[in-house]
Amino acid sequence: MGRRLSTKLLNICIDSLCKVQQLQKAEAVLISGIRIGVLPDVVSYNTLVAAYCQFVGLDAGYSVLYRMKEAGIHPNVVTFNSLMAGAARRCLLTRFFNLFDEMLQTGVRPDVWSYNTLMNCFFKLGKPDEANRVFQDIILNNLPPHPATFNIMIDGLCKNGYINNALVLFRNLQRGGFVPELFTYNILINGLCKSRRLGTARRILKELEESGRIPNAITYTTVMKCCFRSRKFVEGFEIFSEMKRNGFTFDAFAYCTVIGALLKAGRMNEANECFGQMITSGISLDIVSYNTLINLYCKEGKLEDVYQLLDKIEEEGMECDKYTHTIIIDGLCKAGNIEGAQRHLNNMNTMGFDSNLVAYNCLVDRLCKAGHIDRALKLFETMEFKDSYTYTSLVHNLCMAGRFRCASKLMLSCLRGNMRVLKSAQRAVIDGLRSSGFTQEARKLQSKARLAKIINY
């Protein structure tokens, strides 16, 4: 009894150290245990295998397998499941199957978690048909499916664009006696929302409420966010009110979702009121929350308040991200302070932000709208990275200024870079060239646009 308890204590120590990624100390505890006569068991080594696979790499995890065999301990299904999970995590399908074969050759029988891991791997690789075959194998081999099996299947179908199949499976499981847990509902509702199936998502939410289960903040926030993305603000605010009635404690994400929607709807007073509620609720602000407040102040033209917030962010030991600076640049542009926006963009470069394309695009567009198209073109030339929005914005604004030949050259440059310009902008250039008497250039541009479309598709 004493020896078993000592091994159990050894395993607790190893597990605790592995959870905080202190693998060298975990190894030292294992060696110390052996020295004083407390021998590790399969659980000891399995803990190390799982930790090495998660925090170091598959090869490091596999090396523990040799040590197990040298110690006379036979690996079990948990050992191989940890290794296969490590392979699946990195989408190493060949390694996964090699491990699966080794498991069978060792005489270890796979369990439902072995199949779950394989199924999840296939979905991550975008192979839903193969994942479905694994699911069928679980049923045919009479392995008792775990709720996680169904969750992986529904989630994988949703993420691979088979939302209808996910719904059918969900209903079939219900008819077969499976009682979905809240996590299952959340997976399906999230998949429906990402597919913009708001009506169905709301029906599933109502069904969840009527089943006696209580939706959590994730459920409500997912549907609420979908409402706002679909510009159904009234429905989104109704869900927010329902969350309040049901006594949910809001996190910063839920509040920022609502505040962002109020800003888009132009309901500034309500956005301010909502932010006030967030502050009085005692929720600690993160950089996302500050960005939302900065966006609110920029839309109200309160740029002095914005800079006070920047000081507060610094005082609290946080760092502004690229979104913070992009929001400020946009606010400066809208306030007509183009020079200030340009200075702020230069500061972003000196601060080492290598991904400030959105900020550049914002300034280019605002320069054009302010009538400084030549300055916008000069800024465009200095940009290291450009996307379809950059080209579309410039092409559109050049057409508005009647500079159709310049817009045509820019559009050709965009097509050569395998980027797309919005059809409305393409039509504006071609129609503008024709109306200006450049019919031959218009025909040439039109044919190149058609050719680029064929090649890209």
Side-chain angles (χ1 to χ4, degrees), residues 22-216:
Q22 297 289 330
L23 302 186
Q24 287 184 337
K25 289 183 180 179
E27 291 277 13
V29 168
L30 181 77
I31 293 165
S32 297
I34 294 169
R35 281 177 183 160
I36 62 173
V38 180
L39 298 178
D41 59 7
V42 69
V43 176
S44 318
Y45 284 104
N46 282 349
T47 305
L48 285 172
V49 168
Y52 274 113
C53 284
Q54 184 176 355
F55 302 123
V56 183
L58 181 58
D59 291 333
Y62 192 81
S63 68
V64 180
L65 197 65
Y66 293 114
R67 289 157 53 195
M68 286 179 76
K69 292 174 181 177
E70 286 172 2
I73 296 171
H74 297 289
N76 60 14
V77 69
V78 177
T79 320
F80 283 103
N81 282 350
S82 295
L83 289 166
M84 290 188 294
R89 204 176 290 120
R90 293 163 178 80
C91 296
L92 302 170
L93 203 56
T94 305
R95 289 290 298 276
F96 185 101
F97 283 120
N98 288 341
L99 288 164
F100 201 92
D101 289 340
E102 186 177 343
M103 177 172 65
L104 296 174
Q105 288 166 14
T106 312
V108 176
R109 186 180 177 82
D111 64 6
V112 69
W113 289 102
S114 314
Y115 288 107
N116 283 353
T117 307
L118 177 58
M119 192 165 61
N120 191 37
C121 186
F122 274 130
F123 275 128
K124 282 173 73 178
L125 290 167
K127 297 184 176 183
D129 291 336
E130 287 86 342
N132 185 52
R133 279 195 283 274
V134 175
F135 181 69
Q136 298 302 325
D137 284 344
I138 294 172
I139 306 301
L140 293 171
N141 289 330
N142 294 318
L143 284 167
H146 189 274
T149 310
F150 303 130
N151 290 341
I152 291 166
M153 193 67 191
I154 292 168
D155 186 50
L157 288 169
C158 289
K159 285 178 178 174
N160 281 270
Y162 293 91
I163 190 68
N164 288 332
N165 301 66
L167 268 170
V168 169
L169 175 62
F170 182 76
R171 294 305 184 200
N172 287 341
L173 290 172
Q174 284 180 309
R175 282 191 284 271
F178 171 66
V179 180
E181 53 192 20
L182 177 59
F183 187 63
T184 313
Y185 274 104
N186 282 351
I187 287 170
L188 185 59
I189 287 170
N190 184 53
L192 287 163
C193 286
K194 285 191 173 174
S195 300
R196 300 297 176 96
R197 300 273 293 274
L198 178 58
T200 312
R202 293 208 69 178
R203 282 195 294 275
I204 296 290
L205 175 59
K206 189 176 180 183
E207 178 188 310
L208 171 62
E209 292 169 331
E210 290 172 352
S211 71
R213 291 177 189 79
I214 301 171
N216 60 13

Side-chain angles (χ1 to χ4, degrees), residues 186 189-191 193 217-227 229 253:
N186 282 351
I189 287 170
N190 184 53
C193 286
I218 294 169
T219 324
Y220 281 117
T221 306
T222 301
V223 181
M224 182 173 66
K225 198 171 182 182
C226 184
C227 289
R229 273 205 309 267
F253 177 74

Side-chain angles (χ1 to χ4, degrees), residues 414-434:
C414 179
L415 295 172
R416 281 194 292 269
N418 294 323
M419 286 191 225
R420 295 176 188 172
V421 174
L422 288 178
K423 285 184 179 178
S424 58
Q426 290 184 30
R427 281 195 299 271
V429 180
I430 293 165
D431 291 346
L433 287 170
R434 282 175 181 154

Side-chain angles (χ1 to χ4, degrees), residues 40 216 303 323 339:
N216 60 13
L303 294 176
Y323 301 106
E339 302 301 331

Side-chain angles (χ1 to χ4, degrees), residues 313-333:
I313 290 169
E314 192 175 337
E315 284 170 14
E316 293 187 8
M318 284 187 276
E319 288 186 4
C320 298
D321 58 17
K322 62 181 179 182
Y323 301 106
T324 319
H325 297 292
T326 302
I327 293 164
I328 293 169
I329 288 168
D330 185 53
L332 288 165
C333 287

